């Protein structure tokens, strides 16, 4: 059996897209399930807290670092199984999400194209049920395979057992946090119509024959649309949207809509999802707001940015201010999408 190389006192700055954070007392990168099991055993024997890391594009590491073992998931592998109409894709958790999406689009498979250009790993995608431009990853997942940290046994979760909802899944619950995702089976289609229901895509393809829009066209459109909204990760630190869009009752939505008639509406099973970007910009006037070296991105106020040298406490203070202002103006409580690790 091969060993694992556990390193000590590792700076977490380069392991998160915010480029912020102190040191992890222990850090290990695992490339196989066997290595993952060894890492979990190591943590167990040494009574260490565990943090499972993908690409770090949805986390904020504390300035004080993490007193425990960070396990970076680097399991690789991707296989397609073609049926007459459907395709199953079996993908290891450490694969890059967008490389995987690109491969499916290049093969003319449908389903994931609207989720193009989201940073991160495949294994993290179900955790918060990543979504963009009218599609959520849970819609395309057949099974999630995971290892239980407590008994080291493997378990298969059907889509239903994953309990996907808006930016949420079973894996975000206390019981779900016991699982490390190792691989996922996606169910894709060989023929489909493009999903252009989201406003930006609808506008992009306005006047074009919708029936002729291919998955590759959607991906190309999103390169332009997302490129204009999100900061360049090579230039700035960010973890994307810092807060989730809040979901309120239809009654509450109607009250806000009467005050702010342009407020966009997204009806959900449980109420109405509000556009927090609209509220931050048009209701709170916070677009481009800066606090020290942290701020709200000018092209998309939901996105918090480290303009250089910001610390976790700056981002957290910014979050507090924004949360307070939103509550004062709308009476709506907002919650972080980004996971704080400390
Ligand atoms: C510029 C930018 C744009 C973004 N756009 C979007 C968007 O459009 N839509 C969207 O939904 N998100 C978006 N995000 C957020 C982010 O890309 C996703 O949440 C992504 O899935 C995170 O992947 P990761 O590998 O970086 O996860 P990490 O940040 O490393 O981890 C996130 C969480 O998942 C857990 N985790 C990671 N891997 C595993 C695993 N194998 N098993 C168990 N738990 C695990 C971690 O413990 C942590 O709690 C964006 C982020 C950025 C920086």
């Amino acid at each position: 059996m091969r060993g694992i190389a556990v390193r000590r006192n590792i700076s977490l700055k380069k392991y998160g897209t915010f480029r912020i954070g102190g040191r992890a007392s222990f850090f290990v990168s695992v490339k196989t399930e066997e290595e993952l099991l060894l890492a979990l055993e190591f943590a167990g024997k040494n009574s260490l807290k565990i943090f499972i890391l993908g690409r770090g594009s949805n986390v904020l590491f504390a300035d004080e670092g993490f007193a425990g073992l960070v396990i970076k998931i680097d399991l690789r592998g991707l296989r397609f199984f073609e049926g007459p109409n459907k395709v199953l894709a079996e993908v290891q958790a450490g694969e890059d999400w967008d490389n995987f999406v690109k491969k499916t689009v290049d093969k003319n498979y449908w389903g994931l194209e609207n989720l193009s250009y989201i940073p991160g790993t495949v294994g993290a995608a179900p955790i918060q049920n990543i979504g963009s431009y009218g599609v959520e990853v849970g819609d395309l997942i057949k099974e999630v395979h995971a290892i239980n940290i407590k008994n080291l046994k493997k378990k298969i979760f059907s889509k239903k057992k994953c309990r996907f909802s808006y930016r949420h899944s079973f894996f975000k619950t206390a019981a779900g946090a016991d699982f490390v995702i190792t691989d996922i089976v996606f169910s894709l289609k060989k023929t489909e119509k493009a999903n252009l229901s989201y406003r930006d895509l609808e506008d992009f393809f306005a006047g074009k024959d919708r029936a002729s829009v291919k998955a590759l066209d959607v991906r190309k459109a999103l390169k332009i649309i997302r490129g204009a909204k999100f900061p360049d990760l090579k230039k700035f630190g960010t973890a994307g949207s810092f807060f989730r869009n809040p979901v309120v009752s239809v009654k509450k939505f109607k009250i806000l809509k009467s005050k702010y008639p342009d407020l966009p509406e997204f009806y959900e099973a449980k109420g109405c999802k509000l556009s927090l970007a609209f509220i931050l910009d048009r209701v709170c006037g916070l677009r481009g707001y800066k606090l020290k070296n942290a701020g709200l991105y000018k092209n998309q106020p939901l996105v918090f940015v480290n303009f250089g040298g910001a610390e976790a406490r700056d981002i957290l203070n910014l979050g507090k201010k924004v949360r307070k202002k939103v509550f004062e103006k709308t009476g709506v409580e907002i919650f972080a999408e980004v996971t704080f690790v400390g």
Side-chain angles (χ1 to χ4, degrees), residues 244-248 252 276 323 326-327 330-335:
R244 275 180 273 148
N245 286 309
V247 178
V248 297
K252 174 76 184 169
L276 187 55
R323 192 178 289 125
V326 169
F327 190 75
T330 64
V332 174
E333 263 201 88
I334 54 172
F335 298 96

Side-chain angles (χ1 to χ4, degrees), residues 51-52 54-58 118-121 124 127-128 130-131 181 226 240:
F51 180 72
I52 303 296
R55 199 189 156 198
S57 61
N58 207 25
I118 298 179
T121 54
I127 305 290
Q128 70 151 356
I130 57 167
I181 294 174
R226 289 186 67 103

Side-chain angles (χ1 to χ4, degrees), residues 85-312:
N85 307 310
K86 281 190 178 175
V87 179
L88 294 184
E90 195 183 277
V91 199
Q92 297 296 305
E95 285 289 333
D96 180 80
W97 172 258
D98 193 53
N99 274 346
F100 165 51
V101 174
K102 181 178 183 304
K103 280 187 181 149
T104 65
V105 171
D106 286 346
K107 284 178 170 286
N108 290 321
Y109 300 153
W110 287 86
L112 298 174
E113 58 282 356
N114 290 41
L115 299 170
S116 289
Y117 301 109
I118 298 179
T121 54
V122 167
I127 305 290
Q128 70 151 356
N129 186 20
I130 57 167
S132 63
Y133 300 91
V135 174
E136 288 181 335
V137 76
D139 303 339
L140 287 314
I141 284 179
K142 185 169 184 286
E143 281 169 7
V144 171
H145 301 181
I147 287 176
N148 187 326
I149 289 172
K150 292 208 169 123
N151 59 20
L152 305 188
K153 286 199 177 131
K154 194 136 188 194
K155 186 166 172 176
I156 297 178
F157 292 84
S158 65
K159 176 194 189 125
K160 196 172 167 209
K161 289 255 161 68
C162 293
R163 304 209 313 254
F164 291 118
S165 60
Y166 170 64
R167 292 298 182 278
H168 195 71
S169 73
F170 164 74
F171 303 102
K172 287 212 91 165
T173 65
D178 282 344
F179 291 89
V180 185
I181 294 174
T182 52
D183 51 301
I184 299 174
V185 181
F186 294 85
S187 176
L188 309 174
K189 287 189 179 154
K190 286 169 104 173
T191 50
E192 185 57 286
K193 278 195 200 126
N195 176 347
L196 306 178
S197 60
Y198 205 85
R199 171 100 168 268
D200 290 349
L201 280 173
E202 207 174 273
D203 291 350
F204 191 93
F205 289 103
K208 299 209 174 102
D209 173 18
R210 285 164 163 254
S212 68
V213 176
K214 300 272 177 282
L216 183 60
D217 300 323
V218 175
R219 184 167 163 84
K220 281 183 181 162
L222 287 176
K223 182 163 190 161
I224 298 166
I225 295 169
R226 289 186 67 103
K229 278 211 171 135
F230 290 96
D232 183 351
L233 281 177
K234 290 189 192 112
K235 289 191 188 147
F236 300 110
T238 181
S241 302
F242 192 76
F243 291 107
R244 275 180 273 148
N245 286 309
V247 178
V248 297
S249 67
V250 174
K251 189 175 162 204
K252 174 76 184 169
F253 173 74
K254 284 187 175 153
I255 295 169
L256 289 169
K257 182 88 176 168
S258 66
K259 228 170 150 188
Y260 308 104
D262 293 339
L263 182 66
E265 47 204 78
F266 306 99
Y267 285 100
E268 297 263 305
K270 284 186 186 156
C272 208
K273 188 167 79 183
L274 300 177
S275 163
L276 187 55
F278 177 95
I279 292 173
L280 296 177
D281 181 18
R282 305 271 295 277
V283 178
C284 301
L286 286 171
R287 181 187 284 263
Y289 177 78
K290 269 178 101 173
L291 194 68
K292 292 192 179 173
N293 293 327
L296 278 62
Y297 191 54
K298 60 180 183 348
N299 295 357
Q300 165 52 289
L302 206 45
V303 171
F304 278 22
V305 175
N306 166 12
F307 290 103
E311 299 191 320

